[in-house]
Amino acid sequence: MRLSDARLFFLSAIAVVTVAAGCAGVPAAPAPVSPPVDPPSSPEWTQDMARFDAEDAAHAPPARPIVFTGSSSVRLWASLGADFPGRPVLNRGFGGSQLRDVVHYADQVAIRYRPRMIVVYAGDNDIDAKRTPQQVHSDFVALIARLRKDLPDTPIAYLSIKPSPLRVAQLPAQREANALIRAEANKWRRVEFIDVTAPMLDASGQPRGELFMADRLHMNAEGYAVWRKVVAPYLK
């Protein structure tokens, strides 16, 4: 075989292999790996899921809503619709819940609505229940992996764990969890970490008491006004 013929044969062989590989398809990127998740923190959440079912049956949720979900700071956001006029927001908060609960009920509180965006607030109750910042971070990873399984392109925003006068002793653990989650969010496409913590602290680094109701844990209208201002620019 002449040199030119040998070169032609070699290039043809490469072309055949390349075409065959293309026909077989390029392997898809591996699905996000979800770390193990502990069982739900309470059996009572099934009642909340039933409530959501009843609400959907009575009043059809908006098409492709911006779903807000998580613990009581979301559930008690009564002014949610008024705070974001013209946005198809849907409140699917269930009070007392932890991040792992949002993972377990992700379909009921978010995925089934095919949302245009998901906003999550959880982690506050986790730290209060003596879960470590590392556990909160692991549950955050599990939540993103779960959502990405069915909603690979949907924007997700996580609201940082808020400081409150009642749980001021937990500030160091909250800061650590927030830092871990912020760093993790930066690794994912279309996942945002929204810092609601900084504007809720006074000049000395303590929670601003005027933002809270008498229980010193849940926010009043002034507190939600702070959240509205911080969150609004992120809504899609």
Side-chain angles (χ1 to χ4, degrees):
M1 183 182 291
R2 291 179 300 172
L3 180 60
S4 58
D5 292 336
R7 181 178 298 173
L8 180 60
F9 176 81
F10 178 70
L11 292 175
S12 298
I14 292 177
V16 170
V17 171
T18 302
V19 170
C23 292
V26 177
V33 177
S34 177
V37 182
D38 288 337
S41 65
S42 171
E44 296 180 4
W45 308 139
T46 56
Q47 299 176 26
D48 289 270
M49 300 308 119
R51 174 170 58 86
F52 296 149
D53 288 342
E55 290 177 4
D56 290 346
H59 304 284
R64 301 200 63 238
I66 300 173
V67 171
F68 284 71
T69 189
S71 60
S72 56
S73 291
V74 172
R75 181 177 63 83
L76 296 175
W77 199 339
S79 61
L80 188 65
D83 285 343
F84 304 111
R87 303 282 190 177
V89 297
L90 179 65
N91 191 321
R92 284 297 174 260
F94 49 119
S97 60
Q98 300 179 17
L99 259 176
R100 55 180 160 153
D101 302 316
V102 183
V103 179
H104 283 286
Y105 294 104
D107 185 74
Q108 291 94 322
V109 301
I111 294 170
R112 64 176 171 175
Y113 298 109
R114 315 310 297 179
R116 68 183 63 194
M117 183 177 186
I118 301 170
V119 182
V120 179
Y121 178 79
D124 195 341
N125 295 321
D126 311 48
I127 297 295
D128 188 59
K130 309 304 181 186
R131 291 180 72 78
T132 67
Q134 290 72 27
Q135 286 176 304
V136 177
H137 166 258
S138 179
D139 290 342
F140 174 77
V141 175
L143 175 61
I144 300 304
R146 175 66 189 91
L147 294 174
R148 280 289 173 258
K149 179 181 177 183
D150 289 285
L151 304 171
D153 298 313
T154 301
I156 302 167
Y158 176 84
L159 307 184
S160 64
I161 300 173
K162 76 180 192 302
S164 64
L166 182 67
R167 296 176 175 175
V168 67
Q170 298 171 18
L171 277 175
Q174 292 176 354
R175 291 192 189 101
E176 185 177 355
N178 281 335
L180 290 170
I181 292 174
R182 183 195 291 269
E184 184 66 38
N186 289 336
K187 301 176 185 178
W188 295 79
R189 188 175 67 89
R190 309 195 80 181
V191 176
E192 297 277 2
F193 177 92
I194 302 180
D195 182 9
V196 296
T197 304
M200 299 184 73
L201 297 172
D202 62 21
S204 64
Q206 297 300 300
R208 293 168 54 191
E210 74 272 15
L211 303 180
F212 294 86
M213 295 192 291
D215 64 6
R216 302 169 64 239
L217 174 63
H218 296 104
M219 294 181 294
N220 56 26
E222 191 172 351
Y224 282 111
V226 171
W227 277 28
R228 174 184 55 78
K229 183 177 180 180
V230 174
V231 172
Y234 290 90
L235 298 188
K236 306 297 183 183

